[in-house]
Amino acid sequence: MGKIKIKDILNGKYLQQEVTVKGWVRTFRSNRFIALNDGSCLTNLQIVVDFEALDEQTLKQITTGASIAARGVVVESLGKGQAYEIQTSEIEIIGVSDPEKYPLQPKKHSLEFLREIAHLRVRTNTFGAIYRVRHNLIYAVHKYFHEKGFFNVHTPIITGSDAEGAGEMFTVSALDLDHLPRTDDGQVDFSADFFGKHTNLTVSGQLEGETAALALTEIYTFGPTFRAENSNTSRHLAEFWMIEPEMAFYDLHDNMDLAEEFVKYLVSFALENCMDDLTFLNQRLADEEKQKPQHQRQEMGLLAQLRFVADNEFVRLTYTEAIDILRNAKPNKKKKFAYLIDEWGADLQSEHERYLVEKHFKKPVILYNYPASIKAFYMRLNQDGKTVAAMDVLFPGIGEIIGGSQREERYDVLVEKIKAIGIAEKDLWWYLDTRRFGTAPHSGFGLGFERLVQFITGMGNIRDVIPFPRTPGNAEF
Ligand code: ATP
Ligand code: MN
């Protein structure tokens, strides 16, 4: 029989059968009990070794971190803590690990320390759980859209459109930085570069996604996006993954309905398919909360919070209504907000978003109809002439998790807006073409995948929900 995954053994499939398992030793006690983990699930498999049958050398090499193969019969365990175990006299050491030097000791390590050894942290319970939950969510995203008849579209990662306007961009260049070609007026001459023009890493697949929606009706992208913003927060990465559905014949309200249904589906999918890992993460968070002073603790545990979001309607509120609430809010009157709200038109900071979600409504909130002046050029101008059909979904602990809008489908209005912000029409000729040939009302949004994973795993820092985080000053690994 071939190699069997520990998950399947613990599900009881192989009782009384002889199996081979391969994995990494978490602990080895009393020269007799190995806790083996192969990453297929959170729980270790107990392997009971007949140490008299093993040679001294093999016994010595069964150390934390080593990889081994074990062959034996699956039996019901008499010991506490596990239902099944393997009894064996056959152990093969595959890769030794010096227990003195192995950075992961069988004890609790801080998340900060684990970030420094991101190549090994996946071998801990916490990161194993996060990787598995993350995988399940990726699968759920595709399942959800596929079953609804949306098509997945790959949009370019290297983009030649300078006009996405969603943040600072990374230049992509093959020029020799020590000998840059210059134009007559001293600028870098990108016409001599690989693509014959200045190119960037994409900040969003939306504009290209729109072209596909205006033919396939309902599409989504799920790809890496890059922002060179120097915001060292627990919610921002320089490289992150974004899911961007784009739908023809959807207005703003259809868009909000889809966003709400989609995130609830993802939360429910995790609850149905990742319960072992989520139960572990729930406990991890509860332990972490206990370290905090009483008044800073979250009211709800992780699992309770996830169920709450899956089962309750989100609040929908216009920007104008939100400003009224914030203007009269205690932290505004007592000048506790870092940015005080006094006028309509003010951009909302994450402190305001979190106040609405965590203090005022105690529910996820969808804010919509924002002032045109604080939103992107492609959002549809409302009848009032001063707001646009934008919507942001705000989550507890996270703030903005989704940003979206109904897109401006009217050629003339779009051209006016492009001019007003100083983009040359010729830079967006292909985007404008979609409004010249069979334009249609359409909408879409972007869900930041890591913010979703943060919410579902209860991790406070976005650096801990992506295998190798990219942040200012950090591109190790
Ligand atoms: P924020 O105000 O939080 O910076 P944004 O307004 O720049 O967000 P959008 O441009 O609307 O965000 O992007 C859509 C979604 O992508 C956001 O709702 C968020 O979930 C996610 N997102 C945006 N920037 C980042 C980032 N730097 N790291 C991780 N996720 C991000
Ligand atoms: Mn941003």
Side-chain angles (χ1 to χ4, degrees):
M1 184 177 290
K3 175 173 67 79
I4 303 297
K5 289 214 162 154
I6 288 175
K7 181 183 179 188
D8 294 326
I9 293 174
L10 297 177
N11 281 339
K13 283 191 202 158
Y14 291 94
L15 188 59
Q16 300 307 337
Q17 296 185 35
E18 193 177 73
V19 297
T20 301
V21 289
K22 294 181 182 178
W24 291 266
V25 175
R26 286 289 175 86
T27 57
F28 185 37
R29 316 182 266 121
S30 317
N31 255 357
R32 194 161 164 75
F33 302 104
I34 301 172
L36 193 72
N37 192 287
D38 69 356
S40 60
C41 60
L42 180 76
T43 314
N44 301 324
L45 177 67
Q46 170 151 291
I47 295 177
V48 185
V49 181
D50 176 5
F51 59 89
E52 283 173 353
L54 291 186
D55 61 88
E56 190 106 338
Q57 172 77 347
T58 305
L59 264 183
K60 256 214 260 157
Q61 290 180 337
I62 305 175
T63 60
T64 297
S67 57
I68 64 165
R71 185 167 181 77
V73 175
V74 180
V75 296
E76 280 177 73
S77 177
L78 299 176
K80 268 204 287 189
Q82 67 275 323
Y84 303 98
E85 65 189 24
I86 286 184
Q87 299 196 341
T88 184
S89 52
E90 275 180 67
I91 299 271
E92 181 201 338
I93 306 293
I94 298 173
V96 295
S97 173
D98 182 344
E100 305 284 303
K101 294 189 180 142
Y102 187 52
L104 290 173
Q105 296 299 316
K107 62 158 194 169
K108 211 171 154 44
H109 294 289
S110 74
L111 294 171
E112 289 77 10
F113 169 72
L114 292 172
R115 265 171 233 148
E116 292 169 16
I117 50 164
H119 59 305
L120 294 174
R121 67 179 179 169
V122 61
R123 299 187 188 189
T124 62
N125 284 336
T126 299
F127 286 90
I130 294 166
Y131 272 59
R132 281 184 297 270
V133 171
R134 192 177 156 110
H135 160 78
N136 274 277
L137 289 169
I138 293 167
Y139 174 70
V141 166
H142 291 298
K143 182 170 154 64
Y144 174 83
F145 284 124
H146 179 74
E147 287 172 3
K148 275 185 100 73
F150 283 57
F151 299 107
N152 185 204
V153 173
H154 287 158
T155 48
I157 291 167
I158 299 173
T159 165
S161 76
D162 239 349
E164 285 165 338
E168 297 295 311
M169 302 177 93
F170 289 101
T171 291
V172 175
S173 174
L175 291 176
D176 176 355
L177 295 183
D178 290 324
H179 304 95
L180 288 173
R182 301 273 173 190
T183 57
D184 291 344
D185 55 358
Q187 307 267 21
V188 175
D189 181 9
F190 284 103
S191 71
D193 203 348
F194 190 91
F195 296 106
K197 66 189 291 199
H198 187 201
T199 54
N200 298 300
L201 289 176
T202 184
V203 294
S204 157
Q206 179 201 319
L207 301 191
E208 292 89 350
E210 283 184 52
T211 69
L214 290 168
L216 302 172
T217 301
E218 292 175 323
I219 66 98
Y220 69 106
T221 70
F222 188 170
T225 44
F226 307 86
R227 300 198 183 171
E229 50 197 8
N230 211 342
S231 41
N232 240 320
T233 76
S234 58
R235 317 261 176 270
H236 288 90
L237 292 165
E239 174 181 294
F240 65 101
W241 290 70
M242 185 144 64
I243 299 140
E244 296 180 273
E246 195 69 38
M247 300 77 61
F249 316 115
Y250 272 53
D251 68 15
L252 184 67
H253 293 276
D254 301 328
N255 201 21
M256 291 194 272
D257 290 345
L258 183 77
E260 180 167 346
E261 183 188 90
F262 178 46
V263 281
K264 283 179 171 171
Y265 176 89
L266 296 174
V267 171
S268 302
F269 188 92
L271 284 168
E272 279 161 31
N273 294 280
C274 308
M275 211 38 182
D276 287 352
D277 287 323
L278 290 182
T279 303
F280 171 81
L281 292 166
N282 183 63
Q283 189 56 48
R284 192 205 72 81
L285 187 62
D287 294 344
E288 195 179 84
E289 288 288 300
K290 266 186 235 146
Q291 311 294 318
K292 293 183 186 166
Q294 191 86 38
H295 70 279
Q296 283 179 16
R297 289 184 202 165
Q298 289 180 13
E299 283 168 34
M300 261 188 243
L302 178 63
L303 289 172
Q305 169 107 288
L306 295 179
R307 290 199 186 97
F308 181 82
V309 166
D311 295 343
N312 284 283
E313 249 179 57
F314 298 179
V315 174
R316 296 188 191 186
L317 188 76
T318 63
Y319 167 91
T320 304
E321 290 164 330
I323 286 291
D324 280 340
I325 292 171
L326 290 168
R327 214 187 262 140
N328 295 312
K330 237 193 212 161
N332 199 54
K333 293 194 153 158
K334 294 193 164 172
K335 303 202 189 315
K336 290 268 163 62
F337 282 149
Y339 296 84
L340 295 177
I341 299 283
D342 50 21
E343 274 181 46
W344 192 93
D347 202 355
L348 300 184
Q349 307 295 324
S350 89
E351 56 178 343
H352 310 123
E353 299 173 342
R354 293 184 62 170
Y355 174 85
L356 291 170
V357 172
E358 290 160 27
K359 296 282 183 322
H360 191 82
F361 291 109
K362 298 188 190 291
K363 267 186 176 190
V365 173
I366 309 185
L367 277 188
Y368 64 100
N369 288 348
Y370 282 81
S373 56
I374 58 172
K375 290 288 182 185
F377 74 90
Y378 49 72
M379 298 188 177
R380 192 177 198 279
L381 193 63
N382 286 324
Q383 289 252 286
D384 60 17
K386 57 176 192 171
T387 62
V388 286
M391 62 112 178
D392 283 0
V393 181
L394 312 178
F395 260 37
I398 304 286
E400 182 189 326
I401 194 162
I402 285 179
S405 67
Q406 183 171 343
R407 317 307 188 189
E408 183 55 76
E409 87 284 12
R410 296 163 296 185
Y411 180 82
D412 297 340
V413 182
L414 189 58
V415 167
E416 275 312 304
K417 286 189 95 179
I418 285 174
K419 277 193 199 143
I421 59 167
I423 302 177
E425 269 176 69
K426 67 167 176 39
D427 288 342
L428 281 173
W429 66 274
W430 54 274
Y431 188 69
L432 286 166
D433 258 9
T434 60
R435 274 63 172 173
R436 293 173 60 216
F437 307 117
T439 190
H442 62 287
S443 300
F445 60 80
L447 167 67
F449 185 60
E450 283 72 22
R451 291 200 190 165
L452 174 84
V453 181
Q454 255 192 296
F455 179 74
I456 291 181
T457 59
M459 300 303 290
N461 196 311
I462 200 164
R463 292 166 177 79
D464 296 328
V465 299
I466 188 165
F468 298 102
R470 298 285 174 255
T471 50
N474 176 33
E476 192 65 48
F477 309 104

